Amino acid sequence: MKGTEVLADAFGRIRDVVHEAVEGLSGEQLNARVDPGANSIAWLVWHLTRIQDDHVADAGGLEQVWSAQGWADRFALALPAGATGYGHTARQAGAVRVDSGELLLGYFDAVHAQTGQFLRGVAAADLDRVVDEAWDPPVTLGVRLVSVIGDDLQHAGQAAFVRGVLTRRR
């Protein structure tokens, strides 16, 4: 198995967890917070999608799906257009609200499609290409993609946990 195939498999697993966490929930459930400082499923999935969109687009020289496909307008959040959720306060996280899972999953699936298309064009040697020199050591494409996978899986797991808490409260 090629390294890029392993990465594609990992991104596919994120997709599976995200869909399981979101599908069938109401807007009220997606926006619910288990306490005032906790993140909602809506924020968690929006954030992990924004990070994947931002980082993969940057590494691949692509336009973000968020702006290119009009998702920023569809979400109409009271946040700066380039916000990804990184460093959000509890108040900012609470501003990420959705009416339905279709909006979250539509954006996620569009980003997932762009990530998959990008990965199909990546050769093994490309994974050693430096994509961010702001770190010591500089970050390669392979390291950046693994970082996105790790972050996304953590947040997808958190969303699944919140779903379990909310659905057991009935």
Side-chain angles (χ1 to χ4, degrees):
M1 182 178 250
K2 296 177 186 176
T4 54
E5 292 171 341
V6 172
L7 294 169
D9 180 79
F11 279 106
R13 291 169 190 250
I14 294 165
R15 183 191 181 283
D16 294 344
V17 177
V18 165
H19 274 261
E20 289 172 8
V22 171
E23 288 175 354
L25 295 182
S26 67
E28 181 180 341
Q29 290 170 310
L30 292 167
N31 296 315
R33 298 164 83 178
V34 295
D35 71 44
N39 295 320
S40 67
I41 294 170
W43 184 87
L44 289 162
V45 171
W46 170 82
H47 167 64
L48 73 85
T49 308
R50 288 292 297 125
I51 292 298
Q52 186 178 143
D53 192 9
D54 176 77
H55 287 28
V56 172
D58 181 61
L62 306 168
E63 189 173 355
Q64 289 185 30
V65 171
W66 181 247
S67 53
Q69 296 182 17
W71 290 100
D73 294 333
R74 285 181 241 180
F75 274 78
L77 300 175
L79 297 169
T84 63
Y86 181 77
H88 266 184
T89 64
R91 182 178 175 170
Q92 290 167 315
V96 176
R97 300 184 60 80
V98 297
D99 293 331
S100 72
E102 287 77 24
L103 181 66
L104 280 173
L105 293 177
Y107 175 47
F108 177 84
D109 288 343
V111 169
H112 179 73
Q114 178 162 290
T115 298
Q117 183 177 7
F118 169 69
L119 287 174
R120 285 188 289 282
V122 172
D126 295 331
L127 297 174
D128 292 327
R129 178 174 55 88
V130 172
V131 296
D132 188 348
E133 294 189 17
W135 299 90
D136 186 19
V139 177
T140 64
L141 175 60
V143 169
R144 177 58 44 89
L145 293 172
V146 168
S147 176
V148 171
I149 289 165
D151 185 70
D152 278 7
L153 280 173
Q154 286 185 50
H155 290 308
Q158 291 166 353
F161 175 80
V162 173
R163 178 189 178 108
V165 169
L166 295 174
T167 58
R168 285 175 180 81
R169 283 185 175 172
R170 294 179 191 184

